Amino acid sequence: MTVQLSALQGDITQLAVDAIVNAANSSLLGGGGVDGAIHRSAGPELVAACRLLNGCKTGQAKITPGFHLPAHYVIHTVGPVWNGGQANEDVLLASCYRESLQRACENKLKSVAFPAISTGIYGFPKQPAATIAVQTVQQYCAEKPVPLEKIIFCCFSKEDLAIYQALLM
Ligand code: AR6
């Protein structure tokens, strides 16, 4: 089965998929941006579950239930802070996508939605970040059979959506 990749504009907390990915920080205890929105929608059970995870290193990913979200699970990953591009940011961002897909596959999930990791508060330029996101996901799905059927790039802005649509054409 080929995995269907698509982009949409919207609020990731509203998506009824098996898992949404959270662009978290290494404490996993919540923050601003998409992280804040996910914690608000999931309810206080999410931070309680995250407290048991002992944080998460940049480029890695950990999974929790979605609690009050429409999504069954949240995969928390920590993107790199943009530091000019010479600090391994590309490799670490690609690792976030791969590790998140790994958590999804281990749990036999069929649908996952990603936000544009690191491109908000962490300052990673949008175009190269989207290229890494799409290429890494395509490579991962081409390497081996995966249970995934649907992968969504959930864009918050129209500008992000245009970038992803061009890459997915
Ligand atoms: N749905 C989808 N995308 C969203 C939503 C939403 N509800 N809200 C924001 N975005 P950011 P980062 C987009 O800043 O750069 C937090 O404080 C946003 O427009 O959320 O990885 C964490 O705790 C952007 O395109 O994450 C960390 O400390 C993308 O999500 C830090 O921010 C990522 O922006 C992580 O920074």
Side-chain angles (χ1 to χ4, degrees):
M1 145 114 39
T2 33
V3 189
Q4 187 205 347
L5 268 55
S6 61
L8 57 77
Q9 189 186 354
D11 176 356
I12 203 165
T13 66
Q14 302 301 306
L15 300 182
V17 285
D18 289 343
I20 58 172
V21 175
N22 182 16
N25 61 62
S26 56
S27 78
L28 296 186
L29 298 179
V34 71
D35 192 10
I38 289 172
H39 275 272
R40 276 193 299 279
S41 300
E45 294 92 335
L46 185 59
V47 76
C50 285
R51 267 197 204 100
L52 306 174
L53 298 176
N54 282 317
C56 183
K57 294 198 177 114
T58 304
Q60 299 195 347
K62 295 189 176 181
I63 190 165
T64 64
F67 299 101
H68 301 287
L69 286 162
H72 298 306
Y73 293 92
V74 179
I75 297 171
H76 307 263
T77 190
V78 183
V81 177
W82 180 256
N83 210 351
Q86 305 301 313
N88 226 19
E89 292 96 328
D90 289 19
V91 171
L92 290 166
L93 186 62
S95 174
C96 287
Y97 285 90
R98 254 196 315 276
E99 286 287 312
S100 297
L101 291 170
Q102 192 66 33
R103 296 295 88 74
C105 291
E106 286 161 7
N107 288 277
K108 300 193 167 48
L109 306 187
K110 294 202 162 107
S111 55
V112 176
F114 282 98
I117 300 164
S118 280
T119 67
I121 293 163
Y122 281 180
F124 204 117
K126 287 165 181 289
Q127 178 75 54
T131 303
I132 290 167
V134 171
Q135 284 181 356
T136 304
V137 169
Q138 284 173 336
Q139 269 164 21
Y140 187 95
C141 295
E143 275 164 16
K144 57 186 169 211
V146 291
L148 288 157
E149 293 173 3
K150 202 168 145 186
I151 299 173
I152 297 168
F153 296 102
C154 180
C155 304
F156 210 42
S157 69
K158 229 181 179 169
E159 183 195 347
D160 279 345
L161 180 65
I163 293 172
Y164 275 91
Q165 279 175 334
L167 289 167
L168 291 170
M169 276 204 317

